[in-house]
Amino acid sequence: MPKVKIPTPLRQYTDGSSEVEVGGDTAGETLGNLAAQYPDLRQHLYTGDGKLRSFVNVYKGDEDIRYLDGPDTEVLENDELSIIPSIAGGRCRNF
Amino acid sequence: MALRIGAGDVGHIHDHAKEAYPEECAGALVGMDTGDMKIVVDVWRAKNTHEEDRGRRFLIEPLQIKEFEERTQEQDMDLLGFYHSHPDHPAEPSEYDREHAWPYYSYIIASVGKDEVEDMRSWVLKDDRSGYEEEPIVFV
């Protein structure tokens, strides 16, 4: 099964695991299965309407899946996906 | 949990915030998590790569975070959180900060004016993402 690497802030929701094996044929399906396996992860990965949060980055190997086929990126048996945060903020709201 | 940080690392954050003024600066807090306390042993500067308004926004790219994660593992340390500055604005998280925050990480915010850092506080996102809890800072 493909492996998913979990960043430090999310390991509290994966029983402390830094790497989890999850079934799936695409990146989107694999992440969905991961969230199903660890339901407390869901709100930190997805927005209320089920889209991946903008600051949640998913890499297949060293490539951002946004530059591959997005959630439809094919994932093979020995592939490794990494969830990588981007860190953003700022003092004002929307202007 | 409290965050312990030494005067040298506080000095580095202050210097970075003043150098970047009026733009926001950002960087990583690195050290050990004992379970009771996060102990900062180093701070690493990051590049603020926000493209539009670095006076009100900061962004640390995922590849930089990936590099930080790998460096901390090599050195047998933890990535404890991040610092950033709020130029001419209180050391309190904004709604924008909350929308973009991760659980677990400590977020130090330094309120910086033209000449000095006026306040520094640390925040942790609540589990349900509804807001922040202030995290006590132990200065050593």
Side-chain angles (χ1 to χ4, degrees):
Chain A
M1 279 197 282
K3 285 182 186 151
V4 183
K5 289 184 97 168
I6 312 293
T8 319
L10 298 183
R11 287 179 201 160
Q12 59 186 309
Y13 309 111
T14 57
D15 303 326
S17 301
S18 58
E19 207 170 82
V20 180
E21 289 194 348
V22 195
D25 295 327
T26 63
E29 190 184 317
T30 306
L31 287 177
N33 289 341
L34 177 75
Q37 196 171 330
Y38 300 103
D40 291 341
L41 262 184
R42 179 168 294 279
Q43 63 170 340
H44 299 294
L45 295 180
Y46 298 100
T47 57
D49 56 4
K51 289 192 182 131
L52 208 58
R53 289 183 179 275
S54 61
F55 51 90
V56 175
N57 307 281
V58 180
Y59 279 64
K60 182 172 117 171
D62 283 332
E63 288 188 90
D64 189 331
I65 63 163
R66 287 190 189 99
Y67 302 111
L68 299 171
D69 291 322
D72 296 329
T73 301
E74 189 184 22
V75 177
L76 301 175
E77 182 71 16
N78 293 321
D79 279 338
E80 191 172 84
L81 296 178
S82 304
I83 300 171
I84 300 173
S86 46
I87 302 295
R91 66 185 170 94
C92 291
R93 195 175 175 177
N94 287 323
F95 55 92
Chain B
M1 193 142 39
L3 184 77
R4 195 173 88 173
I5 186 166
D9 290 323
V10 171
H12 286 307
I13 295 173
H14 283 206
D15 288 346
H16 196 186
K18 286 187 281 189
E19 281 170 37
Y21 183 91
E23 294 190 352
E24 296 197 1
C25 72
L29 308 169
V30 176
M32 274 92 67
D33 179 350
T34 67
D36 299 321
M37 187 175 277
K38 290 177 180 161
I39 301 172
V40 177
V41 298
D42 209 355
V43 294
W44 295 341
R45 288 188 180 201
K47 195 171 177 203
N48 179 359
T49 57
H50 201 280
E51 286 175 354
E52 287 154 27
D53 187 354
R54 288 190 295 274
R56 297 177 186 195
R57 293 276 190 270
F58 78 94
L59 172 68
I60 308 177
E61 299 279 353
L63 280 178
Q64 174 118 68
I65 305 296
K66 196 165 181 268
E67 189 209 316
F68 285 159
E69 287 262 7
E70 287 162 2
R71 269 167 71 191
T72 50
Q73 277 169 16
E74 279 164 19
Q75 298 178 24
D76 207 18
M77 293 196 292
D78 298 313
L79 188 51
L80 301 174
F82 297 88
Y83 67 86
H84 73 276
S85 60
H86 280 180
D88 299 319
H89 210 73
E92 292 168 7
S94 62
E95 177 63 13
Y96 187 83
D97 283 329
R98 187 183 65 78
E99 286 166 5
H100 292 78
W102 287 77
Y104 176 79
Y105 285 144
S106 298
Y107 287 90
I108 284 183
I109 302 178
S111 170
V112 61
K114 191 168 181 302
D115 299 314
E116 61 181 345
V117 171
E118 282 145 16
D119 194 12
M120 205 175 91
R121 294 162 77 180
S122 184
W123 306 85
V124 178
L125 184 72
K126 289 182 185 171
D127 261 353
D128 63 3
R129 306 191 63 89
S130 65
Y132 283 87
E133 276 174 14
E134 185 162 8
E135 176 180 56
I137 302 182
V138 179
F139 294 99
V140 290

